[in-house]
Amino acid sequence: MNQALQKNPSTDNNISKTGYRALFLLKKLMESPKSREELLECFEQDIVIKNDISKDTITNTINALKKAGCVISRPSFRTNNKYVLKSHPFSVCFSESNIDALLSLRESISTLGDWQLLINLNNFYAKISKLAPNQEAQMRLLFEHPLKSVNYEILNKILINAKLKKHMIVCYDSPQNGEEELCFTPEFITLENKKLYIWGYNQKYDMFSYLRIDKIKKINFMNFLGVNNEAEDYEKPKTIAKYKLKGYSALMYQPEEDEKIIEENPDNEYPYTIETRVNNDFNFVQRLLSYGSDCVLLEPEELKVQLLESIKKIKEQYKND
């Protein structure tokens, strides 16, 4: 057998064991604080350096890292007798162009209607904001997004209520009526035009409608449906619509709440046929208009009439201009 193939990696002259040990120890301290004994155990399990350990190995390697710019605290009672990596000069730091790219990505995602993905992305940006080149860039990562005006404590209460089928007495800053108290039973959340909406039954107006979540100032009271006869049954909207999509709109399509693909054929001009429950006629028509010529509404007839009327109004507006 070729002797080169039998060669132990730990004796490979191409590896600087001093440098390797330093990087290996740095990696372990970046994972978590460790005692001298824990670091020696890690060394003994590594194929490259396990046969090259002395009693001074840890001390010498720590000192080498400190000379390279690392700040490592000495083991003490306060640190549970462990070395703690305070900082090191090898951290990633975003440039201004990196920040612009990250913000462009978030702006693009905010148009998809996936509010949960957007919130997860915001949480991720909050974690990496410390890598921004300056405070202004850090603030942009933290706050330059469509949901910055949403109270997340209120959002969490809404999510709990929707899951448990609870009534809410909310203080709502209505654009039409000013501040008012509403008894509202939440059903689901949507992200439309970069605004977060909660859909459900509005007892005051006896209708299934939506509230803008950033306009909800307070949730004052909650109660389970059916308790003490305070909840009356209500009917969700029964209008079912069907439409087809093609082109870029079909490529980027993401099903919304109460919506499903009922026919899918990539070889057709219109690869998706979609069925949806219409909660709000105006919003639904506006959404179809946003698809442009990529969309054909199949049914119902009354929504076709509304869609045609909207198109005529738009056409007349352009004529007048």
Side-chain angles (χ1 to χ4, degrees):
M1 182 179 288
N2 192 322
Q3 290 184 348
L5 296 178
Q6 297 177 326
K7 199 170 187 181
N8 190 314
S10 64
T11 61
D12 193 333
N13 292 329
N14 291 327
I15 295 177
S16 168
K17 293 181 182 178
T18 301
Y20 182 91
R21 276 198 305 270
L23 293 174
F24 184 83
L25 191 147
L26 175 63
K27 178 178 180 292
K28 294 302 176 182
L29 289 183
M30 288 174 70
E31 293 172 356
S32 65
K34 287 181 173 59
S35 65
R36 179 183 295 271
E37 291 72 23
E38 288 171 333
L39 289 171
L40 284 171
E41 184 179 346
C42 291
F43 278 11
E44 289 170 356
Q45 293 175 355
D46 185 79
I47 191 172
V48 175
I49 55 178
K50 66 178 182 179
N51 297 320
D52 190 34
I53 301 173
S54 69
K55 65 178 183 178
D56 296 324
T57 298
I58 300 299
T59 300
N60 292 338
T61 308
I62 291 287
N63 289 337
L65 286 172
K66 287 181 176 179
K67 288 180 180 179
C70 296
V71 178
I72 303 172
S73 67
R74 296 173 60 86
S76 66
F77 178 78
R78 185 174 59 83
T79 64
N80 199 21
N81 205 32
K82 295 184 178 184
Y83 291 99
V84 178
L85 179 65
K86 300 287 189 180
S87 66
H88 61 84
F90 313 111
S91 298
V92 175
C93 184
F94 293 127
S95 65
E96 290 287 355
S97 61
N98 295 148
I99 299 297
D100 290 338
L102 288 169
L103 293 175
S104 295
L105 173 63
R106 180 161 60 187
E107 180 70 18
S108 175
I109 287 176
S110 69
T111 65
L112 299 178
D114 190 335
W115 62 272
Q116 291 172 309
L117 175 60
L118 184 56
I119 287 177
N120 289 336
L121 190 65
N122 288 341
N123 291 338
F124 174 67
Y125 280 16
K127 291 180 180 179
I128 64 173
S129 62
K130 61 184 179 182
L131 303 177
N134 51 57
Q135 188 175 8
E136 180 183 354
Q138 184 179 33
M139 292 300 102
R140 292 179 69 199
L141 282 176
L142 289 172
F143 302 113
E144 200 170 295
H145 61 85
L147 305 184
K148 61 184 177 183
S149 58
V150 171
N151 183 317
Y152 284 88
E153 183 178 348
I154 287 176
L155 176 60
N156 286 331
K157 287 182 179 180
I158 290 172
L159 291 171
I160 293 171
N161 293 347
K163 183 177 181 180
L164 298 178
K165 299 295 183 184
K166 280 187 172 184
H167 283 321
M168 306 185 302
I169 304 297
V170 303
C171 179
Y172 185 65
D173 186 10
S174 169
Q176 292 81 26
N177 307 318
E179 201 165 287
E180 58 181 337
E181 280 200 346
L182 301 173
C183 181
F184 193 85
T185 308
E187 286 278 334
F188 57 86
I189 292 173
T190 62
L191 177 65
E192 301 176 35
N193 298 319
K194 301 182 182 179
K195 299 295 182 183
L196 212 54
Y197 297 88
I198 176 65
W199 290 79
Y201 175 65
N202 189 329
Q203 191 178 86
K204 181 175 181 179
Y205 299 103
D206 190 25
M207 63 185 298
F208 194 87
S209 60
Y210 61 84
L211 303 177
R212 252 180 63 179
I213 292 180
D214 62 314
K215 296 288 187 180
I216 297 176
K217 301 305 179 184
K218 190 187 299 184
I219 297 178
N220 296 320
F221 176 79
M222 298 173 287
N223 193 10
F224 285 106
L225 284 175
V227 175
N228 298 325
N229 297 321
E230 292 185 18
E232 297 179 359
D233 292 334
Y234 63 92
E235 292 186 356
K236 297 179 183 178
K238 294 182 178 178
T239 302
I240 301 298
K242 294 180 182 178
Y243 62 95
K244 298 190 298 185
L245 285 180
K246 68 175 181 178
Y248 182 76
S249 298
L251 181 66
M252 299 302 294
Y253 172 74
Q254 292 289 332
E256 293 198 352
E257 190 76 25
D258 294 322
E259 191 169 68
K260 61 183 178 181
I261 298 172
I262 57 174
E263 290 183 22
E264 182 176 356
N265 190 335
D267 296 327
N268 287 348
E269 180 185 3
Y270 291 86
Y272 291 154
T273 301
I274 299 147
E275 182 179 271
T276 182
R277 188 184 76 192
V278 178
N279 299 304
N280 182 286
D281 290 359
F282 176 79
N283 281 3
F284 178 68
V285 168
Q286 293 302 306
R287 184 181 174 203
L288 294 189
L289 289 172
S290 73
Y291 290 136
S293 59
D294 285 348
C295 177
V296 171
L297 177 61
L298 302 175
E299 56 182 71
E301 289 300 321
E302 58 267 28
L303 284 180
K304 284 186 179 182
V305 171
Q306 291 187 41
L307 181 60
L308 287 172
E309 287 297 323
S310 295
I311 293 172
K312 287 178 182 177
K313 289 179 181 178
I314 293 171
K315 186 177 179 180
E316 288 299 321
Q317 183 65 43
Y318 276 102
K319 284 182 178 180
N320 295 334
D321 291 343

